[in-house]
Amino acid sequence: MTPMVDVTFLLLIFFVVTASFQMQKSIGMPMAPSEVPGLVAEPPPELAELELRVDQAGTFRVLASQWQCETPSKQTLITQLKQWRRNRPDHASLLVAFDENTRLQSLVDAMDAGTLAGFQKLRVQSFTEFP
């Protein structure tokens, strides 16, 4: 009986030492708005960033001054964002606004589409309900 207990403890120690523990990667969620004024000034209206809204159903709506588009698929969204970037190469920021009940996959698709379209700055913001 004693040798069996010794072997059990040795196996237990072996598995604890050799087990690999990994940190899970996560997507940072935006913080609640603060009462302290921000250090970054709002951009002028003519240089306002492009806004990409994702609703509960996973539909993407691209909004900008003088232009708006709605698309249900990621591939079409990438095409629309690339077209917008081609016409305005000096605009490099994208605001991804999503409903609180949006599926995480839709949010990741929106952020991925922005990156593939060539946006260097992505901001993520949640809303309780869209206007």
Side-chain angles (χ1 to χ4, degrees):
M1 183 71 162
T2 303
M4 189 166 61
V5 171
D6 289 342
V7 169
T8 304
F9 282 127
L10 285 174
L11 287 174
L12 179 66
I13 292 170
F14 173 77
F15 287 120
V16 168
V17 170
T18 60
S20 63
F21 298 101
Q22 293 181 343
M23 295 292 292
Q24 294 291 326
K25 292 184 179 180
S26 63
I27 296 176
M29 295 300 289
M31 301 292 287
S34 162
E35 297 298 324
V36 179
L39 298 175
V40 178
E42 289 293 322
E46 65 275 359
L47 294 178
E49 62 191 346
L50 183 66
E51 183 175 349
L52 171 58
R53 293 185 178 179
V54 185
D55 63 7
Q56 290 179 352
T59 303
F60 306 108
R61 186 174 298 128
V62 183
L63 303 170
S65 59
Q66 309 295 326
W67 190 71
Q68 108 174 274
C69 169
E70 186 171 327
T71 177
S73 71
K74 178 182 175 182
Q75 191 60 40
T76 311
L77 174 65
I78 294 170
T79 305
Q80 293 293 332
L81 292 176
K82 282 183 178 180
Q83 177 187 1
W84 194 85
R85 284 279 296 148
R86 203 173 310 118
N87 295 336
R88 296 160 191 86
D90 54 335
H91 292 127
S93 64
L94 175 67
L95 169 65
V96 180
F98 64 97
D99 188 85
E100 286 182 344
N101 298 322
T102 302
R103 290 183 34 223
L104 181 60
Q105 184 61 47
S106 299
L107 175 61
V108 171
D109 286 345
M111 293 170 64
D112 189 36
T115 303
L116 291 173
F119 287 93
Q120 284 87 25
K121 296 179 185 177
L122 290 175
R123 286 192 322 129
V124 181
Q125 185 175 6
S126 67
F127 290 103
T128 53
E129 57 184 60
F130 284 114

